[in-house]
Amino acid sequence: MKIVINKKIVILIIGLIYIIGYPLIFRHNNYILNIAISASILSVISLGVWLVFVIGRINIGQGAFVLIGSYTTAILLVKLNLSFWLCLPISGFIAGLLGFLIGIPILRLKGVYFDMLTLCLTEAAMLAMLNLDFLTQGARGIMNIPIPGALKIGSFTIIPAFKPGNYLSFYYLTAIILIITILAIWRLYSSRIGWILQTLRQSDTLALSSGINIAKYRLISYTICCFLGGIGGSLFAVYVQSVFPTSFKVIDSIYYMLYCFLGGLNYLMGPILGAFLLTFSFEGLRFIQKYQEGIYACLMIIFMIWLPNGLMSLKLKKRTTFKNQPYHRNIQAYVLEIVKKFKE
């Protein structure tokens, strides 16, 4: 007798555990909450990187926009005394705007040229923050960043002010933002724009032949990626309460990619699974001390060799029900189906 598992029910159960069960069980354990908070923020950032993978590009520069988002929030909070609830969307908007302007020229590049140029972005952002002393305070960084205050509409308090040392408030904040991000990316991915982005990964030539504006949709994907990087950077700034030019390096951008690879590039939940698994496993190996990073690296290599399509591929078996999915068809039929959707 076969047991049919409803994916929606499984996702609902995991969501309830994440929102209700986990904080209820570990509400007094700040260390465990801290790991989950970090994993949630990293998941938001990595979802942006995954969206660039959807169009067939490798983004090694996400750390630059996380750094920009962090400094934007830090400057607005410390120097202009704005509310965090304004700083959060502003940081995402500024990172997205810079990503839009930078993306116009660099997205014209292909292959390794694009990859190497994005690799330089993080170093460029670090140098910029180091030299813009009048804004960023140079190598001294910005410290004592205030935690979020109350969110009010008139006299009605929607979110009470955070208390120092209250990790539970940050847990719910990052969890809600992660869930909103997942729903937004899922909606985008399952829409007509999502179909177009997937087509770009398959073949630029066929996308052009069907009348798709390649530059436009690449720019949409990259701008959203940078926006999410700015949101993640803003959350990190208020959570850690300090930011320095070296807070986010090239290695961080590589980690954001690694989360996507480990979870599975063909799955929306891939970067989230990768971020949570790697964050928790790295902390779990802390007792090994000096051998921690070496063993961690070996485990990653084993996973990459054993599961080249990511951990999410474990749940899929060869079944005829998946033959009708577009990525199992030849590319000509795939593009023709997209063109047909445009005409509807």
Side-chain angles (χ1 to χ4, degrees):
M1 179 179 177
K2 289 186 177 181
I3 298 175
V4 180
I5 299 175
N6 191 316
K7 290 193 293 183
K8 292 182 179 179
I9 294 176
V10 173
I11 293 172
L12 178 62
I13 292 172
I14 294 173
L16 289 174
I17 293 172
Y18 176 60
I19 290 293
I20 299 173
Y22 190 94
L24 189 64
I25 297 170
F26 300 108
R27 62 185 181 278
H28 300 303
N29 192 328
N30 287 341
Y31 176 68
I32 300 297
L33 287 176
N34 171 64
I35 300 173
I37 291 167
S38 299
S40 297
I41 300 173
L42 291 171
S43 297
V44 173
I45 298 169
S46 300
L47 276 169
V49 177
W50 177 82
L51 195 60
V52 175
F53 276 122
V54 170
I55 63 172
R57 294 300 179 89
I58 298 176
N59 179 15
I60 321 177
Q62 184 74 327
F65 300 97
V66 178
L67 189 63
I68 290 167
S70 296
Y71 265 103
T72 301
T73 292
I75 292 167
L76 293 176
L77 282 173
V78 174
K79 297 193 174 184
L80 299 181
N81 199 29
L82 289 181
S83 168
F84 165 74
W85 307 107
L86 283 176
C87 296
L88 181 65
I90 291 173
S91 298
F93 174 78
I94 290 177
L97 178 61
L98 288 173
F100 175 82
L101 296 175
I102 293 171
I104 292 173
I106 70 170
L107 285 169
R108 297 177 182 274
L109 301 175
K110 296 182 179 180
V112 70
Y113 301 104
F114 175 82
D115 305 340
M116 294 306 297
L117 192 56
T118 58
L119 181 65
C120 299
L121 287 177
T122 305
E123 289 293 335
M126 288 171 57
L127 291 173
M129 299 306 169
L130 190 62
N131 290 286
L132 294 173
D133 192 84
F134 67 98
L135 272 178
T136 64
Q137 299 181 187
R140 293 168 295 167
I142 300 176
M143 303 180 69
N144 300 319
I145 299 172
I147 59 177
L151 175 61
K152 297 181 178 180
I153 296 180
S155 59
F156 180 72
T157 302
I158 300 175
I159 301 174
F162 285 26
K163 297 178 181 178
N166 187 354
Y167 283 61
L168 200 58
S169 299
F170 278 105
Y171 178 88
Y172 281 118
L173 171 64
T174 55
I176 290 170
I177 290 177
L178 174 57
I179 290 172
I180 292 172
T181 303
I182 292 171
L183 294 175
I185 296 297
W186 171 79
R187 184 67 187 90
L188 177 71
Y189 189 68
S190 58
S191 68
R192 189 180 71 172
I193 294 177
W195 278 79
I196 295 172
L197 297 181
Q198 293 173 66
T199 305
L200 298 182
R201 179 176 60 184
Q202 299 291 336
S203 173
D204 289 350
T205 305
L206 287 173
L208 277 172
S209 66
S210 60
I212 294 173
N213 187 336
I214 291 180
K216 172 185 172 181
Y217 289 100
R218 279 180 183 162
L219 202 54
I220 289 173
S221 176
Y222 191 69
T223 302
I224 295 172
C225 169
C226 299
F227 173 83
L228 293 178
I231 293 293
S234 176
L235 293 172
F236 263 123
V238 294
Y239 179 56
V240 181
Q241 294 185 273
S242 62
V243 60
F244 301 91
T246 55
S247 292
F248 300 97
K249 304 177 183 178
V250 173
I251 187 64
D252 295 297
S253 295
I254 294 173
Y255 273 125
Y256 304 146
M257 289 196 310
L258 188 60
Y259 301 144
C260 299
F261 283 125
L262 183 64
L265 293 179
N266 292 326
Y267 310 95
L268 173 62
M269 300 302 291
I272 300 164
L273 176 61
F276 272 85
L277 182 63
L278 290 187
T279 303
F280 275 88
S281 62
F282 188 78
E283 291 297 327
L285 293 171
R286 192 172 291 278
F287 70 95
I288 305 174
Q289 296 181 356
K290 64 179 180 179
Y291 302 109
Q292 179 188 20
E293 293 187 0
I295 294 176
Y296 180 77
C298 291
L299 289 173
M300 292 307 99
I301 293 171
I302 292 170
F303 270 116
M304 291 298 180
I305 295 174
W306 181 45
L307 291 170
N309 294 322
L311 290 169
M312 292 291 290
S313 63
L314 282 173
K315 70 182 180 67
L316 296 178
K317 297 180 180 180
K318 291 182 179 180
R319 294 167 57 185
T320 56
T321 52
F322 289 92
K323 288 183 178 179
N324 292 328
Q325 294 296 330
Y327 21 79
H328 286 277
R329 305 176 189 175
N330 59 58
I331 184 61
Q332 289 85 356
Y334 187 19
V335 173
L336 287 173
E337 181 170 347
I338 292 173
V339 173
K340 184 180 178 181
K341 282 182 172 290
F342 291 164
K343 295 178 179 178
E344 292 178 355

